[in-house]
Amino acid sequence: MIQEGVADGCRFFFLAVRVTPRRLLLSLYSSLCAADRILLGAPVVTEEFNSTGSANTETSKVSGSLETKYKWVEHGLTLTEKWNTDNTLGTVITLEDQLANGLKLTFDSSFSPNTGKKSGKIKSAYKRDHVNVGCDVDYDINGTAVHGAAVVGYEGWLAGYQMTFEAGRNRVTQSNFAVGYKTEEFQLHTNVNDGTEFGGSIYQKVNNQLETAVNLAWTAGNSNTRFGIAAKYQIDADAAFSAKVNNSSLVGLGYTQTLKPGIKLTLSALLDGKNINAGGHKIGLGLEFQA
């Protein structure tokens, strides 16, 4: 089971290696930095504005988006309106803990005036102490797809299943299964995707400053095994250094520094160990503002 996290703000791409008790992250990923966030408080309704932006130096393409979110906390209702530079409009309506405790219902729709393309999603999720289940239905021009997922846990053990059924093709197109064990200082995770891709990872918190992780994956019918190790060292309360290397000799380095409360600087690099002198290495700079 693979989950993705996002943060508010403007988008840019950089290498980050982060190993936390909740997740192993051993690859290049996209991070969002809070660039413009204004909260207008009210006794019942809160209003939140977010803006994001990105620039691709290879294609010279600049893109951005605006988002307005209204929250009626008393009624568990959230209304989100979105717009991006591709001229796509979106509306998300969420109702949580109203029909039943732990039940979350979401309606997500998008519309492109330029192309006339429309899409919609109906999402449902129900979570309790030892179980978390969800079912999503996607409607778009390619047909209807149903996504289902369930996770159960007991005394540190976790087991989950995820599937996708495409109505147009009348068959299951995705079937993933995962088992894991978790404590405060140790995590073990294994997964099988579509019966052909196998993976496993181990996380160990050595002490309050050092965390390590190992990731292993392979595909049925292919003798190539993918392997990676990563570590994170917390220098002090405001600074951390992380590193990773895999069997393709790709070396990732990252440094994070909290300049002041609400301002965080991230420096990163991805080096090709097989071609040090050939160039093509990647570097990244991230600056996060939060208020």
Side-chain angles (χ1 to χ4, degrees), residues 205-218:
K205 184 176 181 179
V206 180
N207 51 47
N208 292 332
Q209 292 180 297
L210 181 62
E211 303 172 42
T212 60
V214 178
N215 185 64
L216 182 68
W218 69 95

Side-chain angles (χ1 to χ4, degrees), residues 169-189:
R169 304 170 65 179
N170 196 28
R171 69 184 183 93
V172 176
T173 57
Q174 188 181 60
S175 180
N176 304 330
F177 181 74
V179 175
Y181 179 74
K182 175 184 176 181
T183 66
E184 292 184 359
E185 299 181 351
F186 176 81
Q187 284 188 36
L188 172 66
H189 175 268

